[in-house]
Amino acid sequence: MAISPMSLSLRPALLIGCALSCLSITAPAMAQQLNEPQVPISAPDAPVPASDDQIGFSADALQYDSNSEIVTASGAVQLLRDGNRLRADKVVWNRTSGKVEAIGNVSVTDPDGNIAYGDRFDVTDTLKDGVVDNMLLVLQSGGRLAAATGTRTNGIYTLNRAAYTGCAVEDSDGCPKEPTWQINAVKVVYDPTRERVTYTNANIELFGLPLIPLPGLSHPVGEGGGSGLLVPNLRYDRNNGFEVAVPYYFKLAPNRDLTVTPHVYSNSLPMLEAGFRHLYDRGAYQITGYATYGSRVATGDTSGTTPAASEKDPRFYLDASGGLQLTPEWSVDGSIRFASDRTFLRRYDISRDDRLRSTLGAQRIGQNSYFSLRGWAVQTLRAGDSQGQTPIALPVIDYRLRLKDPLLGGVLQLQANTLAITRTHGQDTQRAFAAAEWNLRTLTGMGQEVTFTGYLRGDAYHSSDNALTTTASYAGDPGWQARGIAAAAVDMRWPFIGEAFGGMQRIAPRVQIVAAPKLANLSLPNEDARAVDLEDSNLFALNRFAGYDRFEDSTRITYGIEYSLSLPDFSLQTIVGQSYRLSSRTSILPDGTGLSDRTSDIVGRTTVRYKDFISFTHRFRLDKDHLAVRRNELDATVGSKNTYAMVGYLRLNRDALAALEDLQDREELRLGGRIQFARFWSVFGSTVIDLTDGKEDPLSIADGYEPVRHRLGIAYEDDCLTLGLTWRRDYQANGDARKGNAFQLRLAFRNIGI
């Protein structure tokens, strides 16, 4: 026997303290049943038995009737057998029948860690099977079950007039509270081996209100999950009417699962969605597909109506991706994205991507080397774009080797690259080059940081069907072409660092000189360097074109200044700069890029952060002649994690030629925010507005205020429930993806095991 006077003396104090702290709270009866008893469980003092046939035993007092073979133990009684532990105020054990009756603050812990509480337990002397009155079962894997009566037979719990919840049943003060949701049933069966709960005549209560009855409900518990129905998705939009999506989850194995979701619409034929996932020791992959049969209209039709002559075809979308780590250095990965037509994704609100990219590749990453073999294919979903002009890149091979320079010091990088681009109705291009880049970074005695760069490259190109390229400057000359590139650069940064305003500030003037001879750029095709624009990110780049097909052949000086201020809760970083071309020859950089004249435009960026409350980034480009704003971009977030506002603004006024890609002018405003008005309740919204008019685009007929999308919603989110209602309005139509309103109801029960 083991006696613990200290734990006995603390028990009344704990009861009184809890009663006083919860005096003003009256919880519903079911919430009380779902709470654990206030009396703490005593420490496990019972000795561990030597075998499964023996019982470990401890108590404050013991009586034994030798005539009736009845043992009565009282006061912090503990019995331990075969991994099952019973605790109670009083235990009566009939050694003849093997019946054990436990009374008062009873708890039984099974080998899996599940704890059953009750007022009175009738169990066998193995402690495995028995009957419980007023039972509470706290599952080790999460969740709890309360019942008027319960039994355990062969490890399976059966509860009558029971309730289950995965929510917390105590508030932050430790007082009882009503769970956000609970499942009530006439009968509940819990199988710890399968980790599954099965209900008879069940219904779900949400905020204390009964919802739709679920007579055949069954779900897993814990993190393992299991097969079963998931929470339905309800929404409405103008394209398809009312939608009900009911996912069913199949757990095929611990590392494989399948989810099948029928989508039923009031204005369209049903659609089937299926998603398969597989995780294995060296990688993972997933396959998701959508399929239906329905009508569609031409992509260019933006009238928002479906004509009688619309086409009816099978419509589908496939999205698959995965990766495999073969060795610590070698890996392969790939993805496939393909849609049956250009408006399917928007029609069914699956995605708003305007291009679908598929790729397959292998790569090796060593300590000082990199090798990649890859192929790309792109499906365009843009209205008016020609699929025949969309390139297929296969193969794309890139190899890089980094070496230490044994002569001058620094780092030498060798690179070999080849690319083949094919179009079904357009220009075909093949390219190969070999390059060497040397970099040496050093510090002078006065603290200047100086970087020396040397670059050599030899290119070989072959192209055909050049006349099919719509922009002449991108086509190049047909047949075989060659080019040699040489460039050298010196970059000097002189940082001045000191204390300021209780923190540290840094002022760093920077000057860079780049020299490169005239190159035969326009005689070569341009496939990967079409979008060029002077920004703070490429101001000091060796080549301010994005890709390899164009190289900036000029001798120039670039100058700027960097500033930063770091305080305990505040940081400020800014950069501003400009470049001047020393050579007077005509530049290949077109108007609108900020680099076409000898003196470039002025560009800069400022970033401000205050704690986690304010985040502000501003990028700009000013015209070199009269300081007109050619680029004005702002992204700001103000607020906490629960309540915040976001502002995004972009205005491009570059006066670029309309024929150049990705240089069209536009103005756009993006707003978003969230307000938490109660502990678990919040409202949120966002909007995108096109402000483009004739000032930005002379060909535009817009009035400068064209809404693109609005979104507004209300949400509830706590530890076990997510509930939200969202309204969205789209103002742009494309084919059968019509503009209009959409409503979506989102309901997700957490801690339910699926």
Side-chain angles (χ1 to χ4, degrees):
M1 294 186 295
I3 302 176
S4 178
M6 181 63 69
S7 61
L8 291 175
S9 64
L10 287 174
R11 191 173 300 170
L14 288 171
L15 288 170
I16 295 172
C18 184
L20 291 175
S21 64
C22 304
L23 187 61
S24 60
I25 299 177
T26 303
M30 187 58 71
Q32 293 280 7
Q33 295 179 23
L34 288 166
N35 275 84
E36 299 174 31
Q38 295 292 345
V39 177
I41 297 178
S42 57
D45 294 333
V48 179
S51 67
D52 294 342
D53 296 332
Q54 298 180 355
I55 297 179
F57 174 80
S58 68
D60 293 343
L62 182 67
Q63 295 179 352
Y64 175 58
D65 188 337
S66 58
N67 296 325
S68 60
E69 291 289 318
I70 293 177
V71 179
T72 302
S74 58
V77 184
Q78 296 186 41
L79 300 179
L80 178 62
R81 182 172 185 179
D82 196 17
N84 296 276
R85 184 181 297 273
L86 182 147
R87 297 176 174 88
D89 293 340
K90 179 180 178 182
V91 172
V92 179
W93 178 20
N94 189 322
R95 298 187 62 186
T96 303
S97 64
K99 178 183 177 181
V100 177
E101 180 182 7
I103 305 170
N105 297 312
V106 188
S107 69
V108 176
T109 305
D110 65 20
D112 297 321
N114 305 306
I115 304 176
Y117 298 92
D119 296 335
R120 178 177 173 274
F121 279 44
D122 288 332
V123 297
T124 62
D125 54 8
T126 63
L127 306 183
K128 292 182 178 180
D129 303 330
V131 180
V132 187
D133 292 332
N134 192 20
M135 180 180 183
L136 170 65
L137 178 61
V138 180
L139 307 180
Q140 189 275 336
S141 54
R144 55 187 61 207
L145 285 154
T149 61
T151 63
R152 187 170 73 140
T153 305
N154 297 324
I156 297 177
Y157 295 87
T158 301
L159 296 87
N160 301 309
R161 290 184 294 162
Y164 170 83
T165 185
C167 303
V169 295
E170 292 183 351
D171 58 20
S172 57
D173 297 325
C175 299
K177 77 177 185 70
E178 183 180 4
T180 308
W181 63 265
Q182 66 184 40
I183 303 174
N184 300 323
V186 174
K187 179 181 177 182
V188 179
V189 177
Y190 169 57
D191 188 342
T193 303
R194 296 175 57 210
E195 291 189 332
R196 192 162 195 88
V197 179
T198 304
Y199 301 85
T200 301
N201 294 333
N203 68 80
I204 296 181
E205 279 190 10
L206 185 63
F207 301 113
L209 301 176
L211 295 181
I212 301 175
L214 300 170
L217 180 64
S218 174
H219 68 80
V221 295
E223 298 180 355
S227 300
L229 286 172
L230 304 182
V231 178
N233 180 38
L234 306 176
R235 68 186 308 271
Y236 168 84
D237 62 40
R238 188 184 177 192
N239 293 313
N240 304 301
F242 288 98
E243 174 189 354
V244 178
V246 184
Y248 193 91
Y249 176 81
F250 297 90
K251 184 177 181 181
L252 307 178
N255 62 332
R256 295 193 306 273
D257 59 38
L258 172 67
T259 303
V260 178
T261 307
H263 297 257
V264 180
Y265 307 97
S266 61
N267 296 345
S268 302
L269 292 175
M271 180 176 67
L272 183 64
E273 173 190 355
F276 176 78
R277 301 182 300 178
H278 185 192
L279 174 67
Y280 46 101
D281 57 349
R282 293 190 176 184
Y285 66 91
Q286 67 84 27
I287 304 173
T288 302
Y290 299 78
T292 186
Y293 181 85
S295 60
R296 59 185 175 89
V297 296
T299 305
D301 182 7
T302 59
S303 61
T305 61
T306 303
S310 60
E311 306 172 28
K312 286 191 175 182
D313 293 305
R315 308 183 70 181
F316 60 88
Y317 169 60
L318 176 65
D319 182 354
S321 61
L324 176 63
Q325 192 73 35
L326 301 174
T327 69
E329 295 82 18
W330 280 98
S331 64
V332 295
D333 64 89
S335 65
I336 299 174
R337 299 185 68 194
F338 182 78
S340 58
D341 55 82
R342 299 194 182 194
T343 60
F344 178 76
L345 296 182
R346 287 196 59 185
R347 163 70 185 268
Y348 292 97
D349 201 25
I350 299 172
S351 170
R352 295 190 171 270
D353 293 342
D354 57 5
R355 294 185 180 94
L356 300 181
R357 185 178 62 183
S358 299
T359 180
L360 180 64
Q363 64 179 5
R364 183 188 188 278
I365 302 177
Q367 185 174 0
N368 292 298
S369 64
Y370 171 80
F371 172 79
S372 172
L373 171 62
R374 189 166 294 277
W376 304 85
V378 178
Q379 180 187 10
T380 180
L381 304 182
R382 289 185 173 186
D385 275 9
S386 170
Q387 183 62 46
Q389 290 281 345
T390 304
I392 300 172
L394 180 69
V396 183
I397 303 175
D398 189 57
Y399 176 74
R400 306 183 190 192
L401 178 63
R402 186 175 57 192
L403 305 169
K404 290 185 177 181
D405 183 359
L407 299 177
L408 302 176
V411 177
L412 177 65
Q413 178 175 283
L414 305 178
Q415 181 181 8
N417 181 283
T418 183
L419 165 69
I421 288 181
T422 304
R423 294 178 174 88
T424 58
H425 186 71
Q427 178 175 320
D428 296 340
T429 301
Q430 299 84 42
R431 178 194 74 198
F433 71 78
E437 181 176 345
W438 170 78
N439 286 281
L440 173 63
R441 176 181 174 271
T442 184
L443 296 175
T444 69
M446 298 182 64
Q448 294 102 336
E449 177 188 345
V450 182
T451 303
F452 299 93
T453 301
Y455 187 74
L456 293 173
R457 198 174 91 197
D459 303 336
Y461 280 77
H462 180 269
S463 58
S464 59
D465 295 326
N466 301 58
L468 297 178
T469 298
T470 55
T471 303
S473 61
Y474 296 156
D477 297 334
W480 287 98
Q481 305 293 331
R483 176 179 62 183
I485 297 174
V490 179
D491 191 325
M492 190 274 288
R493 179 192 281 112
W494 196 352
F496 296 90
I497 303 175
E499 295 182 359
F501 311 107
M504 191 71 65
Q505 71 172 347
R506 181 176 65 90
I507 303 173
R510 184 175 179 182
V511 177
Q512 179 196 57
I513 299 176
V514 178
K518 181 176 177 58
L519 303 174
N521 274 304
L522 297 180
S523 64
L524 304 179
N526 183 1
E527 298 282 5
D528 64 3
R530 298 183 177 186
V532 57
D533 193 12
L534 180 63
E535 300 176 349
D536 62 278
S537 59
N538 64 6
L539 176 64
F540 289 94
L542 186 66
N543 178 29
R544 289 181 286 202
F545 283 98
Y548 295 109
D549 291 338
R550 293 289 182 264
F551 194 90
E552 195 172 354
D553 56 348
S554 63
T555 299
R556 66 183 184 271
I557 179 171
T558 305
Y559 41 88
I561 188 169
E562 302 170 358
Y563 177 81
S564 67
L565 175 64
S566 297
L567 304 179
D569 295 321
F570 176 86
S571 67
L572 167 67
Q573 294 179 333
T574 187
I575 180 175
V576 62
Q578 186 182 36
S579 68
Y580 177 76
R581 193 167 60 249
L582 301 177
S583 56
S584 60
R585 60 178 176 265
T586 304
S587 172
I588 63 170
L589 291 156
D591 292 335
T593 62
L595 295 164
S596 55
D597 294 334
R598 295 184 65 179
T599 303
S600 77
D601 288 348
I602 304 169
V603 295
R605 182 196 74 246
T606 299
T607 301
V608 177
R609 293 185 181 275
Y610 174 69
K611 294 185 176 179
D612 292 329
F613 187 75
I614 295 177
S615 175
F616 173 91
T617 301
H618 179 236
R619 295 180 177 88
F620 67 90
R621 195 180 100 202
L622 303 179
D623 189 279
K624 60 179 175 42
D625 295 324
H626 40 77
L627 300 183
V629 179
R630 297 301 180 193
R631 180 190 186 103
N632 191 14
E633 184 177 1
L634 171 67
D635 287 289
T637 302
V638 179
S640 63
K641 181 178 67 174
N642 298 324
T643 299
Y644 58 85
M646 298 184 298
V647 178
Y649 174 77
L650 172 65
R651 186 183 184 213
L652 302 176
N653 185 23
R654 296 174 288 193
D655 292 335
L657 298 176
L660 297 176
E661 292 187 7
D662 298 323
L663 290 181
Q664 283 70 44
D665 293 334
R666 67 178 293 109
E667 187 175 7
E668 182 179 274
L669 176 65
R670 305 179 306 277
L671 300 174
R674 180 177 185 264
I675 299 175
Q676 183 170 343
F677 61 89
R679 183 179 180 184
F680 302 118
W681 288 94
S682 63
V683 293
F684 57 89
S686 63
T687 184
V688 179
I689 302 173
D690 187 358
L691 303 177
T692 306
D693 58 14
K695 295 179 181 179
E696 291 79 32
D697 185 0
L699 300 179
S700 175
I701 60 174
D703 61 0
Y705 185 87
E706 186 69 28
V708 177
R709 188 179 309 113
H710 294 332
R711 188 172 69 104
L712 184 64
I714 184 170
Y716 174 93
E717 185 172 2
D718 62 12
D719 63 310
C720 65
L721 176 71
T722 298
L723 174 65
L725 178 63
T726 304
W727 163 77
R728 192 188 72 210
R729 179 171 179 83
D730 292 307
Y731 291 87
Q732 296 180 346
N734 184 14
D736 58 351
R738 299 183 293 171
K739 57 186 177 182
N741 296 317
F743 300 88
Q744 182 169 11
L745 176 65
R746 181 170 182 262
L747 179 63
F749 297 98
R750 301 181 184 177
N751 305 326
I752 204 170
I754 297 180

